[in-house]
Amino acid sequence: MTTARRKITAQERRARLGARHLLAPAARAGTPEAVAEAVLGLHATDPASVYLAVAARLKDPSVAELERALYEDHTLVRMLCMRRTMFVVPRELAPVVDAAAARAVAARERKNLAKVIQEQLGFDDRWFAATEAAVLAALHESGEATATQLAEAVPDLKSQIVQSEGKPYEGRPRITSRFLGVMAAEGRIRRGRPLGSWASSQYRWIPAEPHPELPLDEARARLAARYLASFGPATTEDVKWWTGWTLTDTRKALARTEAVEVDLDEGPGHALPAQLDAPAEPEPWAALLPALDPTPMGWRHRDWYFDAAHAPELFDTNGNIGPTVWWNGRVVGGWAQRADGEIVTELLVADGLGREARSAIAIEAERLASFFDEVRIKPSFRTPLERRLAS
């Protein structure tokens, strides 16, 4: 006799979201490490997003506390990993992420750069290894250094390559950033403190030690289980998209977890046994999340918390989501910071947004403005709604 699979509704999934992702006011306690643990990793492509993702989830966020975790205690580790995206992950999870995703990304980055350097500059693998050793020696001598300072210490890093030759946007950049990026992807160096405010994209480099090696299949299974703990129930396609794995590798990893099959609105899915019980009705909550926040970027299928009709306003042409306004587990609008520091919002959903919702959203906007203080951010991309609000 076949047992019917548990049907988990969109409403149940939204009900879990606030507490699990530390977005509901009652859940906003703890540390930056607890935030990264709750959402499995903080998107770090845009430097400010790490700070804003933490600020949205803690009652009393502290820039100093997050900087201590990143740059002194190293309890949070920045890594180029899933989908060749920069994340900040808890230190104990870093070896798992490295083996399951980052190692393959680093190998591709190294191979691609080595090919360009060989073809355009004539530098071979021996040069690559010698230059890496020179960079490490310079860092160990100075303790930390900017990319410009490292290029002065290792002059070959000033070598230029041609990109998009013959095109109107042809460029001739130095290899400095790409070379240091490969070393960082391999865990040999890491980003240190930024130059300027916490929103700055300029930073120092410091030495690092490669992560302990784990068996690939074990690491993938552990990462899949951690993903489900934070984002489940989810579909196979959700896991495949988030990790960047092939479909075959995704299925193999899921099969090694304790997940059971469930039915979701978008089709068959996977849930951990603890996720089969119906959640308690949550208290109402609002949140203002930054661009590329881990919550809206957590699933391939977004219909259960996002109205697809709003995608042209809230996404850019490359599929990057901008700053979002949330109410009770749904994306209901967007926000932007203006030049004078004001946080402005626009609601795209009228249904179910009464006085309580608008008041809670206004409180979150004030909280965010207070966190920014005198800092102004320059997003690496702007969505149509953010561009309109910011102007």
Side-chain angles (χ1 to χ4, degrees), residues 136 139-140 183-184 186-191 206-211:
L136 290 174
L139 279 180
H140 281 294
M183 293 186 67
E186 294 176 341
R188 306 184 72 184
I189 62 175
R190 63 161 58 111
R191 292 187 190 184
I206 61 175
E209 293 295 329
H211 302 287

Side-chain angles (χ1 to χ4, degrees), residues 367-380:
R367 211 167 69 89
L368 187 58
S370 176
F371 178 79
F372 271 115
D373 195 19
E374 298 298 320
V375 173
R376 303 292 178 265
I377 58 174
K378 295 181 179 179
S380 56

Side-chain angles (χ1 to χ4, degrees), residues 285-288 325-327 332 335 342-347 354-370:
W285 60 271
L288 269 62
V325 176
W326 290 69
W327 175 247
V332 296
W335 65 271
E342 181 186 7
I343 302 300
V344 289
T345 63
E346 182 171 319
L347 303 181
R355 180 179 301 174
E356 181 183 27
R358 295 171 188 275
S359 174
I361 291 167
I363 290 171
E364 288 301 305
E366 291 176 6
R367 211 167 69 89
L368 187 58
S370 176

Side-chain angles (χ1 to χ4, degrees), residues 196-281:
S197 78
W198 52 263
S200 173
S201 59
Q202 302 295 317
Y203 43 84
R204 303 167 178 87
W205 291 101
I206 61 175
E209 293 295 329
H211 302 287
E213 293 193 8
L214 297 177
L216 178 59
D217 287 346
E218 175 192 333
R220 283 178 174 163
R222 287 173 62 180
L223 187 59
R226 290 291 294 270
Y227 170 85
L228 288 177
S230 293
F231 294 94
T235 67
T236 302
E237 185 65 22
D238 289 329
V239 184
K240 174 182 178 295
W241 177 83
W242 188 87
T243 57
W245 298 334
T246 66
L247 181 59
T248 298
D249 289 338
T250 303
R251 287 171 171 165
K252 285 172 60 178
L254 285 168
R256 291 170 63 102
T257 71
E258 297 179 350
V260 297
E261 292 188 351
V262 294
D263 284 324
L264 307 175
D265 287 352
E266 57 267 38
H270 311 271
L272 297 178
Q275 296 167 346
L276 299 179
D277 296 331
E281 191 65 30

Side-chain angles (χ1 to χ4, degrees), residues 99-110:
R103 203 175 298 165
V105 172
R108 287 194 296 271
E109 294 293 299
R110 185 185 184 93

Side-chain angles (χ1 to χ4, degrees), residues 287-319:
L288 269 62
L289 300 184
L292 297 176
D293 184 86
T295 296
M297 293 296 291
W299 298 270
R300 175 68 179 84
H301 298 284
R302 300 184 172 103
D303 289 352
W304 59 277
Y305 65 90
F306 184 88
D307 188 336
H310 301 146
E313 288 276 60
L314 295 173
F315 283 81
D316 74 358
T317 54
N318 293 318

Side-chain angles (χ1 to χ4, degrees), residues 319-332:
N320 299 312
I321 195 166
T324 50
V325 176
W326 290 69
W327 175 247
N328 287 346
R330 288 194 305 155
V331 176
V332 296

